[in-house]
Amino acid sequence: MNLTGNLLIGATDVLATEGSMQALNPATNEWLEPSFAFGGAAQVEQAATLADAAFDSYSHTSLTERAAFLETIADNLDAVRAELAARAALETGLPQAQLEGEAGKAATQFRQFADVVRRGRFLQLAIDPAQPERQPRPRMDHRLQKIAIGPVAIFGASNFPIAYSVAGGDTASALAAGATVVLKAHNAHPGASEIQARAIRKALQQHGLHEGVFAMLRGSGNAIGEALVDHPLIKAVTFTGSEAGGMALYRRAQLRPEPIPVFSEMTSVNPTFILPQALAARGAPIGDGFIERMLVNVGQACLCPSILIAIKGPGFAELRSAMIHRVTAAPARTMLTPGIHGAYVKGLAALQSAGADPVAVGTPADAAFEGHAALLEVDGQRLLAEPALAHEVFGPSALLVTVSDEEELLAVARALRGQLSAAMHLEDADLALARRLLPILERRTGRIVVNAFAHPQEVTFATVHGGPFPATTDSRFTSVGMSAIERFLRPVAYQGFPDALLPPVLRDGNPLNVPRSIDGQ
Ligand code: NAP
């Protein structure tokens, strides 16, 4: 594909209005061709107006039509998979083979959401028929369906340039819900973003859908993102990135004359608790496996486990030395952007200033934006006295927290902020302690994993990728998995409607054969 660097708004390409940028190859520190356009408030206005104009027709597409559109996006992504992975590798420093896998998963995700749409269960249809004879007063016929919330703004993430970016789960679930999308591409991978956006636009054209269903913008600095969140036609926002960015956009949206939901996924250290019998039985493999998972994506994955808590006792020395061994053997690897690399270096220094002792480092970096692996340690009392030690350092580092007994392990668990995930490694003889730890973790995380790690991510009906603040700004929802669609839906009840005026999915006789509850059954 010939990259143009233009913004994609409606059916037309839009040239730069606010300057332009080039992508940086973080592995070589060289600029990549071509130039990519920056837009501003005028382009936000154009895209949001088109998204609003497209909303009524798109949100009323039949389930069959919408599912077919999502499947065509998947086919179009498959057709550009090799090219997309190659460009994403140049722009991120991540391995091309890994990115081919990520592109394949992104296409699969669109197919999974097509299946969700066809089944129709997401509409949560409920019918409470009229009760004309009811005393003391009759009940009207009530029928409920979920409809799309409106045009939504999606901020592409930096760390997974496909699966959490333009053709990622946010876009797939929003389009599945019937929402129209204005996407702000992340400047870390503009070429990969354009390839994905063109695959989506092509599918729109193949299905003869309104040109405003999807737009891709790009801008410099905060102004374009702020204009997007402020725009009165935008009705919800999704974001994956830093706590500072996610909270700035969340606060901004609450100050609008019409506040809107902001689903920010921000920060998580994914704490891993090693219970005593598991430590004694499997200390070395657990330590090795933990560091292996920590290093995935150069530690730049949301589910990267980066804090391990263990009671000093049998198996602890083996656990610690396996962690040291794995970290020491790890080569330094290119990080996603100079900014993320700089934040990593500063974060490691901050951990040491807060009292963590460095115990192992990987092979030193020999290129500008390579991050070296690091293992630091601290005792439980220090962590309890200095909660900043439990904040995320985005990159390939881990903190080993040694606690003296079960009570201190539980106290450390209570001191943690909200998380996307937590893990417990346990044997049968650890169940009593696990039962005490479990309610503490339930209150603090969206997923709890036993004898494994949360990463790699599965996209299923039971996946939860969310959690209490600061993991996200709304712990009631997930941003990954089939339930991610719920962020873009709201209920509408239809009372006393003639059958011919009802939405087809709610008509008598269930002509579309979709699951519906009648009087709660
Ligand atoms: P980021 O700085 O939060 O930026 C994400 C996106 O939001 C970018 O498009 C950015 O635009 C925009 N943005 C950020 N703050 C904004 C504001 N106040 N107003 C308007 N737009 C705003 O995240 P990042 O660039 O991906 O990485 C920076 C740091 O975020 C990392 O070092 C890491 O700590 C964290 N991060 C965490 C995760 C995770 O899964 N836990 C994932 C990714 C990043 P600009 O690019 O123009 O600023």
Side-chain angles (χ1 to χ4, degrees):
M1 183 183 297
N2 194 15
L3 294 175
T4 65
N6 296 331
L7 309 176
L8 272 61
I9 306 176
T12 46
D13 280 23
V14 174
L15 303 176
T17 57
E18 315 269 330
S20 62
M21 63 165 287
Q22 279 176 272
L24 180 76
N25 180 334
T28 60
N29 203 4
E30 286 166 352
W31 298 107
L32 298 165
E33 292 295 334
S35 285
F36 289 89
F38 282 146
Q43 286 65 47
V44 168
E45 173 66 27
Q46 194 186 347
T49 303
L50 271 174
D52 185 65
F55 181 76
D56 283 337
S57 63
Y58 182 66
S59 63
H60 284 90
T61 44
S62 71
L63 299 179
T64 316
E65 219 180 335
R66 203 184 305 160
F69 166 55
L70 298 176
E71 283 163 348
T72 302
I73 295 177
D75 293 343
N76 293 350
L77 287 171
D78 279 343
V80 295
R81 187 189 302 187
E83 181 189 2
L84 172 56
R87 179 72 195 194
L90 282 179
E91 293 180 338
T92 61
L94 296 171
Q96 189 168 332
Q98 176 185 320
L99 291 163
E100 285 214 23
E102 193 179 318
K105 281 187 192 152
T108 300
Q109 208 167 169
F110 276 93
R111 293 196 178 94
Q112 287 175 294
F113 275 109
D115 186 44
V116 166
V117 170
R118 273 209 184 87
R119 290 172 193 232
R121 196 169 292 141
F122 75 100
L123 296 167
Q124 293 174 41
L125 304 170
I127 301 178
D128 298 333
Q131 294 177 350
E133 312 304 330
R134 194 185 68 172
Q135 294 300 330
R137 57 186 172 81
R139 183 176 84 178
M140 277 180 101
D141 180 273
H142 285 58
R143 301 188 184 213
L144 178 151
Q145 72 163 341
K146 292 266 180 112
I147 67 162
I149 196 166
V152 302
I154 294 178
F155 285 72
S158 62
N159 55 338
F160 287 93
I162 307 166
Y164 286 73
S165 187
V166 180
D170 285 345
T171 303
S173 51
L175 291 176
T180 53
V181 171
V182 180
L183 184 132
K184 191 220 169 217
H186 200 289
N187 292 342
H189 48 264
S193 297
E194 181 177 335
I195 296 170
Q196 295 168 70
R198 288 195 183 280
I200 296 172
R201 184 204 261 179
K202 186 174 166 193
L204 274 177
Q205 291 164 346
Q206 286 165 294
H207 285 262
L209 292 167
H210 193 294
E211 59 171 339
V213 170
F214 175 84
M216 184 193 69
L217 306 178
R218 192 182 309 98
S220 154
N222 293 344
I224 190 160
E226 291 174 353
L228 198 47
V229 171
D230 289 348
H231 201 287
L233 294 174
I234 295 294
K235 300 301 179 194
V237 176
T238 74
F239 167 95
T240 304
S242 65
E243 188 176 338
M247 285 310 295
L249 298 176
Y250 176 82
R251 290 195 183 98
R252 201 168 176 99
Q254 307 321 307
L255 292 175
R256 289 168 36 131
E258 177 197 345
I260 53 172
V262 175
F263 304 102
S264 291
E265 188 216 308
M266 300 174 294
T267 179
S268 180
V269 293
N270 307 302
T272 303
F273 294 84
I274 319 301
L275 305 196
Q277 298 309 317
L279 182 64
R282 299 180 270 124
I286 292 173
D288 185 63
F290 175 89
I291 297 295
E292 182 194 4
R293 294 304 166 93
M294 180 278 280
L295 292 171
V296 170
N297 235 43
V298 203
Q300 303 160 119
C302 7
L303 290 176
C304 164
S306 52
I307 291 196
L308 183 145
I309 301 109
I311 304 172
K312 212 165 194 166
F316 182 83
E318 290 81 356
L319 171 102
R320 186 173 179 275
S321 82
M323 293 174 82
I324 291 173
H325 187 260
R326 188 93 190 197
V327 164
T328 311
R333 285 174 56 201
T334 305
M335 298 191 72
L336 291 162
T337 66
I340 288 176
H341 175 263
Y344 175 60
V345 174
K346 272 195 206 142
L348 284 180
L351 280 182
Q352 290 189 48
S353 310
D357 295 323
V359 279
V361 285
T363 312
D366 61 12
F369 309 123
E370 281 185 353
H372 63 271
L375 177 65
L376 298 99
E377 73 182 341
V378 75
D379 65 35
Q381 287 306 315
R382 181 73 205 153
L383 187 100
L384 291 170
E386 185 48 270
L389 282 165
H391 290 191
E392 182 181 41
V393 175
F394 196 63
S397 81
L399 184 68
L400 170 59
V401 181
T402 315
V403 292
S404 51
D405 56 23
E406 292 186 2
E407 296 312 315
E408 197 172 283
L409 181 137
L410 298 173
V412 166
R414 281 189 205 97
L416 294 171
R417 305 195 296 171
Q419 306 290 334
L420 292 174
S421 79
M424 296 188 282
H425 290 257
L426 52 86
E427 296 281 307
D428 285 351
D430 291 313
L431 286 178
L433 177 57
R435 283 196 190 96
R436 295 181 68 201
L437 180 56
L438 184 56
I440 301 172
L441 298 183
E442 282 172 339
R443 286 181 63 172
R444 284 162 184 79
T445 93
R447 84 169 84 182
I448 305 162
V449 183
V450 167
N451 287 340
F453 301 93
H455 201 69
Q457 176 89 270
E458 294 284 347
V459 180
T460 67
F461 284 90
T463 297
V464 175
H465 193 73
F469 179 84
T472 77
T473 47
D474 196 335
S475 64
R476 295 168 298 170
F477 295 91
T478 174
S479 59
V480 179
M482 302 299 99
S483 306
I485 195 171
E486 287 168 16
R487 295 171 299 168
F488 307 110
L489 296 169
R490 66 180 184 84
V492 177
Y494 305 82
Q495 293 183 213
F497 268 50
D499 203 51
L501 189 61
L502 278 167
V505 287
L506 285 173
R507 288 190 189 149
D508 286 344
N510 199 1
L512 298 182
N513 195 24
V514 272
R516 323 194 289 187
S517 84
I518 313 283
D519 265 334
Q521 300 297 312

